[in-house]
Every structure is written in structure tokens, then in C-alpha cells.
């Protein structure tokens, strides 16, 4: 631990602040008493240089392009674990020690997949064209009216139950959002199917599963699809103090019901420059329409008088290739070879966009690389996931991260209500 000295050039006074050694990455200045000591506060719009909490959940090295969950690189986790294993890991701190433990946790999630009948009736109030992110945020908020038994006194068991329940229910909600929008009847969770298979079944299955029909035609759920979705969800499971996680923590800091905090996180994730980018990327690739138009769109992205941005490019922390995008790019090619065919029209345009952008000085100077949203949509399309469900799938993936962050926040006796200041420039 070192110190740093701040000198006020107006008064000549100097002040010393402690430096905090993070276990990885750069040091931080402890400015928590900055105002009390100096009478001056810090200004950092968008919080690019500010940490709002201590955390042990995920670590990003933006320069190297590295992401770790509890110290383990995501590349290792996607190779060896299922998404439900990662849920267990993030919320309880331990990976399953063997297949039995892995199955037990998956089974618990499956059993928690059923929705309260009253919650199902809520779907009637949403119009067919309601965006599923709005529906999901509302439904999760309603969960806080159905599960009022948590005590919120730092009770770890209550928060574990809260986490497992919502992780169990969110796939059902996502699948029902879609079925409701197309007027298809809901399918009850089938606990004989794994967490991921069950989601695909509830999304696609014909109401009578004995008939091997689906709403997409004669389509069985393959092991390869289950594996692919497991990987995609693992890659989205946690990502430091991003906008939606910060929202969850901020809202939780007021002491509100945990599902109300998560509902706010879903709303924050919906935004097109955050999780909503995966849907926008696909729409943008379609808008580009042909590899020969790529240069024109890249020129628009660089034009400061044009609000057009290249969706799926750039990141606040990564100034290198987003490691999640790297895994997804490889996964896309592997799936294509193994029989889940990518839409070559979309793939070719994406490939060209990446090539042109990565060799362009504008993108190089600003460290703008493909992020997690750039390739996920192409894979989800190949998995026959409707475009409007891309961001809800992100919600499914991020749910264990939000829950882990809530658990961490709740355990911290020094956590305070979030209350930033403002640089007042008004009358
Ligand atoms: N296309 C073109 N230019 C870009 C892009 C882009 N996608 N992203 C950043 N830039 C430019 C900015 O115009 C700015 O240029 P300037 O220095 O000449 O003014 C510079 O790069 C820095 O950009 P900021 O907006 O300051 O970066 P910030 O960290 O605030 O924003 C963000 C990061 C929001 C992700 C941004 O890169 C973006 O809008 N990307 C497109 C949307 C997207 O893909 N979002 C998903 C991110 S991943 C996630 O949240 C799950």
C-alpha cells in the first residue's frame, strides 16, 4: 500500500491519500474521504476512472483482452463446465466437484423453473409486439410481489434461495415471452430435461411433445445446440461493474427487494449501447446488406457528423479483442463445420466489417475491436433463436452474475447507499 499526494494549487495545501492494492490490475486511490478532507469532490462522468465497490467475482484485463471468473479464464470454463455449473460457481463460490453435484444443482434449477399461475396471467396484458425485454423487466418486478419471504438482514440463505429461484425461472419467462408474442400456448418445464435443453424445448416445442413437431417444423434439439447455448451463456455470466450490474447494485443499495433491483438491471441491459447491441448488430448487418457496402458503412461510423456507430464494436474497458468475442468467433466456425450452418450472408458481411475496421486507423487508434455482441447474434440465428430474444438470452446469461453481485453487496457491512454528487452549473 502506498500513498498519493494531491496539491491544491489555489491554496498550496497538500493532502495524502492511501493507494489500494488490487489483487490484479492497477492500484486505486482511496478517495472515500476526499470531500471530508479537502472540501472538494471528484468529477468523472460515466465513471471511467472510478470504482464504486470492491468485488471478487470477475476480473477484466482490458489491455490483454482477458476475462476471469473468480480467477479462472473464461476460455477454460467454457471448455469444461455447463452454464448451470457456472451459476453455482458464481453464486456459491464453488464449482461442482463431480458429476453428481453438477446434476444436483441443475435439477434444483429445473425444479424452480415453474411460474406462479398469477405470473402467467400477467402475459395477457402485454401486446403481441411488446419487446420481450420490457416484458421481462416487468415480470421480474412482479416476482417481488410473489416472493415476500426474504428477510434482507444479510441472511446468506435467503439470498441463495432468491438467486436459485430467479435463475431457475428466467428461461421459462424468456420462452413464454416469445410464445405469447406469437400466440402459441405455454409449455410447462420438463424436469427430465437439462436446464438448457428445457429452455429450447419450452421455446420451440409443440404443446404435445410426444409428437415430434415444433413451431419451426420437424426439429429435434441436438446435443450440439445445447453445448453451443451453454457456452454462449457462460460467456455472458458476469463482467465487472458494467452499466446493468452497476444499476443492480445501485438499486439494491437503497435496501429494496432483490428482484426489484434485478428488474432495473434488465432495463439497463436493454439499451442498444449495452446488451441491446446484440439485436442491433444483426439488424445492422442486414442493413449493410452486401459485402460491397461495408466501406460505405465504415465511413459513416467514422464521420463525426453522422450518429451511426458500428454496433458490436468498442468497449469501455477492452482496448483489445474482447476475449468473449474471440471464443464466439471460434465457436461460430466450429458449429458451422459440425453441422449448425451459419447464415453465410450474415457471416460474410460480419467478416468483412471486422477486416475493414481492424485495418483502419480510426479503429486502431481508438482501440475499437469486436465485442461480445458482434458474433453472438449470428450464432443465435443459426440456433433458430428469434432476433428479439437475443437480449433476453443475454439476461439469462447475466442472471448468475447479477445475483452474485447482489449477494456480495448484501454481505458487505460497509456498503452504502449510492449517492454521487453533481457539478452544478445552473442558476
Ligand atoms: N463505432 C464508431 N466509433 C466508435 C464506436 C463505434 N462502435 N465506439 C466508440 N467509438 C469512438 C467514439 O466516437 C469516440 O471517438 P472520439 O474519441 O473521436 O470522440 C471513441 O471511439 C471512444 O468512444 P466512447 O464513446 O468515448 O467510448 P465509451 O467507452 O464511452 O463507449 C461503447 C463504449 C458504448 C461500448 C461504444 O464503444 C459503443 O457505442 N459501441 C457500439 C455499441 C456496442 O457494441 N455496445 C456493446 C458493448 S458490450 C456490452 O455492453 C455488452
Amino acid at each position: 500500500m502506498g500513498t498519493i499526494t494531491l496539491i491544491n494549487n489555489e491554496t498550496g495545501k497538500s493532502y495524502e491519500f492511501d493507494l489500494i492494492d488490487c489483487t490484479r490490475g492497477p492500484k486505486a486511490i482511496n478517495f472515500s474521504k476526499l470531500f471530508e478532507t479537502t472540501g472538494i469532490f471528484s468529477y468523472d462522468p460515466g465513471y471511467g476512472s472510478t470504482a464504486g465497490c470492491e468485488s471478487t467475482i470477475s476480473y477484466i484485463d482490458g489491455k490483454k483482452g482477458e476475462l476471469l471468473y473468480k480467477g479462472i479464464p473464461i476460455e477454460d470454463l467454457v471448455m469444461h463446465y455447463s452454464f448451470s455449473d457456472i451459476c453455482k460457481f458464481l453464486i456459491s463460490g464453488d464449482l461442482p466437484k463431480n458429476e453428481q453435484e453438477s446434476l444436483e444443482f441443475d435439477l434444483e434449477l429445473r425444479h424452480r423453473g415453474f411460474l406462479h399461475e398469477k405470473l402467467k396471467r400477467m402475459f395477457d396484458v402485454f401486446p403481441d409486439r411488446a419487446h420481450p425485454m420490457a416484458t421481462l423487466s416487468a415480470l421480474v418486478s412482479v416476482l417481488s410481489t410473489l416472493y415476500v419471504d426474504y428477510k434482507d438482514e444479510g441472511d446468506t440463505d435467503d439470498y441463495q434461495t432468491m438467486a436459485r429461484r430467479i435463475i431457475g425461472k428466467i428461461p421459462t419467462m424468456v420462452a413464454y415471452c416469445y410464445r405469447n408474442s406469437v400466440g402459441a400456448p405455454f409449455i410447462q418445464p420438463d424436469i427430465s430435461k437439462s436446464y438448457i435443453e428445457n429452455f429450447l424445448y419450452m421455446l420451440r416445442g409443440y404443446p404435445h411433445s410426444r409428437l415430434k413437431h415444433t413451431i419451426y417444423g420437424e426439429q429435434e434439439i441436438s446435443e450440439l445446440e445445447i453445448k453451443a447455448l451453454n457456452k454462449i451463456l457462460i460467456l455472458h455470466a458476469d463482467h465487472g461493474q458494467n452499466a446493468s450490474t452497476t444499476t443492480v447494485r445501485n438499486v439494491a443499495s437503497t435496501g429494496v427487494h432483490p428482484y426489484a433491483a434485478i428488474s432495473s438491471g434488465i432495463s439497463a441491459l436493454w439499451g442498444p449501447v449495452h446488451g441491446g447491441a446484440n439485436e442491433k448488430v444483426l439488424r445492422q448487418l442486414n442493413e449493410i446488406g452486401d459485402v460491397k457496402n461495408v466501406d460505405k458503412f465504415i465511413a459513416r461510423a467514422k464521420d463525426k457528423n453522422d450518429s451511426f456507430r458500428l454496433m458490436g464494436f468498442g468497449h469501455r474497458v477492452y482496448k483489445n479483442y474482447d476475449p468473449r468475442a474471440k471464443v464466439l468467433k471460434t465457436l461460430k466456425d466450429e458449429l458451422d463445420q459440425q453441422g449448425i450452418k451459419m447464415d453465410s450472408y450474415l457471416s460474410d458481411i460480419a467478416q468483412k466489417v471486422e477486416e475493414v475496421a481492424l485495418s483502419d486507423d480510426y479503429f486502431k487508434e481508438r482501440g475499437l475491436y469486436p465485442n461480445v455482441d458482434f458474433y453472438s447474434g449470428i450464432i443465435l440465428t443459426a440456433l433458430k433463436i428469434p432476433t428479439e430474444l437475443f437480449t433476453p438470452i443475454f439476461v439469462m446469461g447475466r442472471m448468475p452474475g447479477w445475483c452474485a453481485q447482489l449477494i456480495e453487496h448484501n454481505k458487505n457491512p460497509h456498503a452504502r447507499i449510492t449517492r454521487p454528487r453533481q457539478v452544478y452549473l445552473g442558476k
Side-chain angles (χ1 to χ4, degrees):
M1 173 137 70
T3 59
I4 197 160
T5 304
L6 194 72
I7 301 168
N8 182 338
N9 291 327
E10 280 182 357
T11 61
K13 277 192 176 172
S14 66
Y15 307 89
E16 208 169 73
F17 294 93
D18 287 338
L19 291 175
I20 301 169
D21 290 318
C22 305
T23 48
R24 291 176 193 267
K27 290 172 190 269
I29 306 173
N30 187 345
F31 265 165
S32 57
K33 297 276 184 272
L34 175 70
F35 183 70
E36 280 158 78
T37 324
T38 66
I40 295 171
F41 53 85
S42 64
Y43 176 55
D44 180 20
Y47 307 132
S49 299
T50 299
C53 63
E54 295 170 356
S55 187
T56 61
I57 303 167
S58 54
Y59 173 73
I60 305 166
D61 187 322
K63 265 195 202 151
K64 275 200 226 160
E66 186 179 65
L67 171 60
L68 315 174
Y69 296 161
K70 296 194 169 278
I72 305 181
I74 48 155
E75 293 80 359
D76 293 349
L77 294 169
V78 294
M79 287 294 287
H80 303 296
Y81 295 96
S82 70
F83 175 65
S84 58
D85 292 340
I86 300 306
C87 292
K88 179 180 185 314
F89 185 36
L90 292 180
I91 65 171
S92 76
D94 298 315
L95 280 162
K97 290 183 196 63
N98 48 44
E99 273 182 31
Q100 183 59 27
E101 268 194 28
S102 168
L103 179 64
E104 272 168 20
F105 189 79
D106 198 86
L107 271 171
E108 177 176 350
L109 296 183
R110 294 181 217 177
H111 278 91
R112 291 186 181 278
F114 296 86
L115 299 191
H116 196 294
E117 288 299 316
K118 284 191 175 151
L119 195 66
K120 283 195 216 162
R121 292 206 287 276
M122 285 290 301
F123 281 94
D124 289 343
V125 306
F126 300 110
D128 288 351
R129 291 179 60 82
H131 196 285
M133 286 297 281
T135 309
L136 271 186
S137 175
L139 292 172
V140 169
S141 188
V142 171
L143 279 187
S144 66
T145 69
L146 298 171
Y147 299 97
V148 288
D149 49 345
Y150 89 107
K151 296 188 212 71
D152 192 27
E153 298 296 338
D155 185 326
T156 317
D157 285 349
D158 279 349
Y159 266 70
Q160 277 296 322
T161 307
M162 172 280 298
R164 289 158 192 237
R165 180 192 296 126
I166 195 164
I167 294 169
K169 291 191 192 316
I170 202 77
T172 316
M173 290 187 196
V174 173
Y176 286 10
C177 278
Y178 177 66
R179 294 188 82 91
N180 191 51
S181 74
V182 294
F186 297 149
I187 296 181
Q188 287 288 337
D190 176 349
I191 55 168
S192 72
K193 294 179 165 55
S194 74
Y195 181 79
I196 300 289
E197 183 181 4
N198 201 8
F199 166 65
L200 290 171
Y201 162 69
M202 289 187 288
L203 183 67
R204 297 173 175 178
Y206 196 75
H208 303 285
S209 60
R210 281 171 288 122
L211 307 176
K212 295 199 170 155
H213 287 277
T214 74
I215 50 178
Y216 294 101
E218 297 281 339
Q219 216 174 355
E220 292 294 309
I221 297 162
S222 72
E223 277 306 312
L224 195 55
E225 287 176 302
I226 295 169
K227 227 165 127 182
L229 197 52
N230 263 302
K231 288 191 180 190
I232 292 172
L233 294 180
I234 292 173
L235 294 174
H236 288 83
D238 197 57
H239 208 234
Q241 303 309 312
N242 58 82
S244 52
T245 301
T246 297
T247 301
V248 169
R249 281 199 183 242
N250 283 347
V251 176
S253 81
T254 68
V256 75
H257 193 292
Y259 295 148
I262 290 177
S263 162
S264 310
I266 294 174
S267 298
L269 190 75
W270 185 12
V273 295
H274 191 18
N278 55 11
E279 184 180 331
K280 295 283 176 201
V281 167
L282 206 87
R283 300 201 190 284
Q284 195 168 84
L285 293 174
N286 278 307
E287 191 191 344
I288 295 173
D290 196 304
V291 282
K292 67 176 192 293
N293 297 331
V294 167
D295 288 332
K296 199 169 71 196
F297 280 88
I298 296 282
R300 283 189 63 192
K302 297 192 298 182
D303 182 355
K304 291 289 159 204
N305 297 316
D306 190 333
S307 60
F308 180 88
R309 276 199 168 194
L310 206 52
M311 301 312 281
F313 263 75
H315 197 273
R316 171 65 59 78
V317 185
Y318 294 118
K319 300 301 166 200
N320 201 332
Y321 215 110
D322 180 335
R324 302 167 299 174
K326 235 184 227 171
V327 176
L328 286 172
K329 193 177 176 190
T330 310
L331 178 66
K332 169 179 88 63
D333 296 340
E334 281 170 4
L335 292 173
D336 204 38
Q337 283 161 15
Q338 291 164 10
I340 297 185
K341 289 288 161 208
M342 299 297 133
D343 181 327
S344 58
Y345 158 79
L346 293 173
S347 276
D348 292 351
I349 298 174
Q351 184 67 39
K352 181 76 179 170
V353 167
E354 183 182 334
E355 257 170 49
V356 176
L358 294 189
S359 58
D360 189 296
D361 284 344
Y362 174 94
F363 290 85
K364 283 199 241 174
E365 282 158 14
R366 290 167 179 76
L368 302 172
Y369 289 82
N371 60 46
V372 67
D373 296 316
F374 192 63
Y375 283 112
S376 61
I378 296 179
I379 304 176
L380 291 172
T381 303
L383 294 176
K384 308 229 167 359
I385 306 280
T387 310
E388 65 276 20
L389 283 196
F390 290 0
T391 319
I393 298 266
F394 197 150
V395 171
M396 276 172 60
R398 186 53 54 85
M399 194 55 76
W402 286 334
C403 291
Q405 300 271 349
L406 269 180
I407 291 168
E408 189 175 68
H409 173 85
N410 197 50
K411 269 194 207 155
N412 180 357
H414 308 297
R416 303 170 80 191
I417 186 169
T418 307
R419 208 313 180 184
R421 294 192 173 249
Q422 61 179 2
V423 172
Y424 179 69
L425 299 175
K427 282 186 187 171

